[in-house]
Amino acid sequence: MSLTLTATSEFEGAAYFRLDNCAFFLQDFYEPSHCQNAMLHLLVEDSTGWHEHILNVKVSEEFNVQLTETVEQAWGILEFCLTDFSEG
């Protein structure tokens, strides 16, 4: 498994992407103030497995993003963050 996403549909500035049983929708819309404060949450069954996979395929190095360690939150979710510091 890689992090290569498949665009399953594209139309008028919007696209739907999929990787296995995960999917998300992107829209061609640029608003600088939104970009500086945007988050995308992906819920997966195995956070630890995904974290290990992202480390193994070297996503941080390839895309110049920061990967945090996994953290168990007070509300019971085990999470990690991928942070993209690009400016648009």
Side-chain angles (χ1 to χ4, degrees), residues 15-34:
Y16 180 75
F17 291 90
R18 177 166 212 85
L19 173 62
D20 296 331
N21 61 352
C22 299
F24 62 93
F25 182 78
L26 290 180
Q27 185 176 355
D28 185 13
F29 174 79
Y30 179 69
E31 172 56 49
S33 63
H34 292 178

Side-chain angles (χ1 to χ4, degrees), residues 27-53:
Q27 185 176 355
D28 185 13
F29 174 79
Y30 179 69
E31 172 56 49
S33 63
H34 292 178
C35 294
Q36 294 169 0
N37 195 30
M39 268 189 192
L40 174 64
H41 294 261
L42 299 174
L43 300 177
V44 298
E45 288 184 29
D46 181 8
S47 296
T48 302
W50 270 99
H51 187 267
E52 289 174 8
H53 177 71

Side-chain angles (χ1 to χ4, degrees), residues 47-88:
S47 296
T48 302
W50 270 99
H51 187 267
E52 289 174 8
H53 177 71
I54 289 169
L55 282 171
N56 290 338
V57 296
K58 302 187 184 317
V59 168
S60 294
E61 293 86 349
E62 183 176 353
F63 297 103
N64 194 28
V65 296
Q66 179 183 355
L67 176 65
T68 66
E69 294 298 321
T70 55
V71 175
E72 185 169 352
Q73 298 296 345
W75 51 90
I77 290 179
L78 182 63
E79 71 176 16
F80 62 88
C81 296
L82 266 176
T83 305
D84 180 358
F85 297 105
S86 65
E87 300 202 13

